[in-house]
Amino acid sequence: MPLKHDALVDLLKQAYSAEKAAAFAYQGHAASVRNADEKKAIHQIELDEWEHRKEVLSIMQEYDIPVSKYYEFKYHVIGKLISFSCFVIGWFMPYYFAGRLESGNVCEYFRMMQYFHSLGITTHNQVLYDMGIKEKEHEIYFLHSIKHKKLLPFFEKLFFWGSSNSFNNVDLDKKYPVNESAEYCKK
Ligand SMILES: [Fe+2]
Ligand SMILES: [Fe+2]
């Protein structure tokens, strides 16, 4: 059954490939930190991203959506570049930009849910919810790691993300249930 929703199809293709970029980036990030706990936590996040890629692919396969060769190439290069850059830009920036990126990714899964709902499809609610919430957990992990660093207020002013700015409205302490979670990320 094909999906008659261009924006949703594109979002799925892009998310599938961007998850690979994230996983590559975390490989470099984990390798570049010295602290064993940090290494372990970042490696776990890498594994989560590979899992997301699998979940997104299985949704795509249900609707015969092909993988985009363009996005696969583009995000391969981006992921490898970020991975490499982690070794040269110090400790703070990879943490900061990972958190900032995760913050934006949260809404991608809730936006997909809204798009599916516009087609009357609710069967992917749970998996999209789980992925959106997982990205939020990733955001919070990175934020907590840097929240007492002196650089944070300065970066927050420049890049609009930090202790008091997020790109989503998910609150892990007061989560909506799955069936109300399409309310997240509505502008
Ligand atoms: Fe992910
Ligand atoms: Fe993530």
Side-chain angles (χ1 to χ4, degrees):
M1 183 181 68
L3 269 187
K4 288 197 175 8
H5 195 308
D6 291 346
L8 174 56
V9 169
D10 190 63
L11 194 54
L12 284 161
K13 287 178 177 176
Q14 200 166 339
Y16 173 74
S17 300
E19 291 289 357
K20 177 174 72 171
F24 281 165
Y26 291 131
Q27 286 172 352
H29 192 183
S32 72
V33 296
R34 292 207 194 110
N35 179 289
D37 290 334
E38 290 175 4
K39 233 182 232 308
K40 206 172 134 199
I42 298 166
H43 177 62
Q44 180 55 53
I45 294 175
E46 180 208 336
L47 299 180
D48 293 342
E49 309 303 9
W50 288 124
E51 193 58 39
H52 289 173
R53 185 165 151 95
K54 243 198 273 169
E55 301 282 13
V56 173
L57 183 65
S58 82
I59 296 176
M60 289 166 69
Q61 284 168 341
E62 243 182 82
Y63 304 98
D64 295 322
I65 298 169
V67 167
S68 159
K69 287 202 183 88
Y70 168 72
Y71 285 145
E72 278 294 279
F73 176 74
K74 175 179 163 183
Y75 285 104
H76 189 104
V77 173
I78 291 175
K80 292 290 182 186
L81 277 175
I82 299 174
S83 178
F84 169 76
S85 77
C86 291
F87 291 93
V88 291
I89 57 176
W91 182 91
F92 178 83
M93 280 201 269
Y95 262 87
Y96 181 84
F97 287 108
R100 190 183 185 280
L101 197 83
E102 295 286 357
S103 182
N105 288 347
V106 173
C107 282
E108 301 214 328
Y109 290 110
F110 291 106
R111 205 167 310 127
M112 277 181 208
M113 194 192 287
Q114 291 157 10
Y115 286 159
F116 272 115
H117 288 184
S118 75
L119 299 169
I121 300 170
T122 54
T123 45
H124 308 297
N125 283 3
Q126 185 69 53
V127 66
L128 294 172
Y129 177 85
D130 291 343
M131 289 195 284
I133 295 293
K134 185 59 81 180
E135 304 299 17
K136 183 69 192 185
E137 290 169 8
H138 294 166
E139 176 190 1
I140 295 300
Y141 164 73
F142 290 114
L143 182 63
H144 278 191
S145 307
I146 56 173
K147 78 177 169 203
H148 298 303
K149 301 283 174 190
K150 280 198 218 91
L151 278 172
L152 183 58
F154 174 69
F155 271 69
E156 186 161 359
K157 269 207 192 92
L158 274 183
F159 300 106
F160 315 108
W161 175 83
S163 297
S164 41
N165 290 288
S166 176
F167 295 116
N168 61 75
N169 59 341
V170 177
D171 180 349
L172 289 179
D173 297 325
K174 286 180 276 175
K175 274 182 282 190
Y176 287 150
V178 185
N179 60 347
E180 290 168 30
S181 62
E183 288 305 311
Y184 284 134
C185 304
K186 280 193 175 157
K187 291 232 173 83

